[in-house]
Amino acid sequence: MTLNALTLSTLFPDMSRPNFGVFVERQARELASRPQADVTVIAPVGIPVWPFSLAPGYAALRALPRKERWRELTVYRPVFRTIPKIGGRSNVGAMTRAILPLVRRLHAQRPFDVIDASFFFPDGPVARRLSKALGIPYSVKARGADIHHWGTQPSTRKLVRQAADDAAGLLAVSEAMRRSMARMGIDADKIRVHYTGVDLDTFELTDRQAAKAALDFNGPVVLSVGALIPRKGQDLLVRALPQLPDVTLLLAGQGQYRRTLETLAQELGVERRIGFLGSVPHHKLPRIFAAADVMALVSESEGLANAWVESLACGTPIVISDVGGARELLDRPEAGRIVERDPEAIAAAIRAILDNPPAQAAVRESALRFTWQANGDALLAHLQSIAASGAA
């Protein structure tokens, strides 16, 4: 029997944000590619109440179609209202009210067997309410900040815990995330480790010197891929740069933290050796990974970052902090270094790799077990078991 799955995700790409939640989209497409599964995606769009909704960028979100075919998926994009800065808890109710009529109508036309919530907040608590209203069992996936932030905030941690307790099954992006959830009191027996995937045909080995020449890169290049926010630790990379006088640092990502990083670079006198690439389309990342000598991401917290795996798949070693699934990923010395979140330690690790670069093929070996085929197999089996249990 075909599984009819509802994927619920506030992280999902659209025409105005093509990189937003691409890993969720790819996971949903992998599941939908199976003859045993039909997938409908509901990707709610949060737009602030007036007058905050007048800020640049929200016009594009308001203009999004409420239903469309997005890369072989049927995607619904109902709008819910948010309250900036203080409205985290209220998002659950607002989002539920916005999508419940739609889910009720779709469920009446063809009953859903399971809800696959792709992020713990607000998706998890909303899935819990939909489950209670319609009797559909649900699963929630923990990815990183959704547990580390929303699971610890006084205003939202109860909602996160309730969503975990009432779910028929849970997923975690790493064993380390599973342990973090268990320390919060979540039943570890309900949690299945579900690693991300990487497109090995897209993120592939390329001659590094040829890649550098194609992009007009010169000398040693350190790349960091991630949103420009304090949690990602790009400031520590900037502070490490004076100890790496021959290195160019490229930051792929966008965010308001860019101004702080630019000011810091000027204070340290390294502004001419930093390049801000902005939001790089996902399909263009492989050539940048290939041209970099090191990919560094020293985050304060992570689950298991997609950028880690994608870099390794391109044969580029990584320097990362000891967070999330770092130790699960780096299974061989060629793949990179785990460092303290300290500029001197970061600089030393980068220098060690630059002075003795590993073979690209040896680096790539660490990524070969992270396939979308394996990801889809595990997700299908997980959701089928939940649907078969009939627990709602």
Side-chain angles (χ1 to χ4, degrees), residues 120 139-140 163-164 167-172 181 186-187 190-192 382:
F120 235 99
S139 167
V140 192
L170 300 170
L171 297 171
M181 296 165 71
I186 297 172
D187 182 1
K190 291 172 62 172
I191 307 169
R192 177 174 185 162
H382 173 73

Side-chain angles (χ1 to χ4, degrees), residues 25-36:
E25 176 216 59
R26 184 63 183 84
Q27 179 175 290
R29 286 197 290 120
E30 183 65 31
L31 180 63
S33 71
R34 311 302 171 90
Q36 306 98 315

Side-chain angles (χ1 to χ4, degrees), residues 198-206 208 309-317 329 331-332 334-335 358-370:
V198 61
D199 283 310
L200 294 170
D201 292 334
T202 300
F203 292 86
E204 60 182 352
L205 292 181
T206 303
R208 182 162 292 136
V309 186
E310 291 169 347
S311 180
L312 295 178
C314 292
T316 301
L329 176 63
D331 61 350
R332 65 202 67 207
E334 296 90 346
Q360 289 176 269
V363 174
R364 180 175 167 86
E365 284 291 326
S366 286
L368 297 183
R369 57 201 159 107
F370 294 90

Side-chain angles (χ1 to χ4, degrees), residues 370-390:
F370 294 90
T371 66
W372 284 116
Q373 175 74 36
N375 176 281
D377 288 345
L379 181 59
L380 178 61
H382 173 73
L383 297 179
Q384 284 177 327
S385 69
I386 289 175
S389 73

Side-chain angles (χ1 to χ4, degrees), residues 89 149-150 152-158:
R89 180 182 178 86
H149 178 73
W150 297 111
T152 59
Q153 292 295 300
S155 62
T156 55
R157 62 189 177 194
K158 183 178 179 180

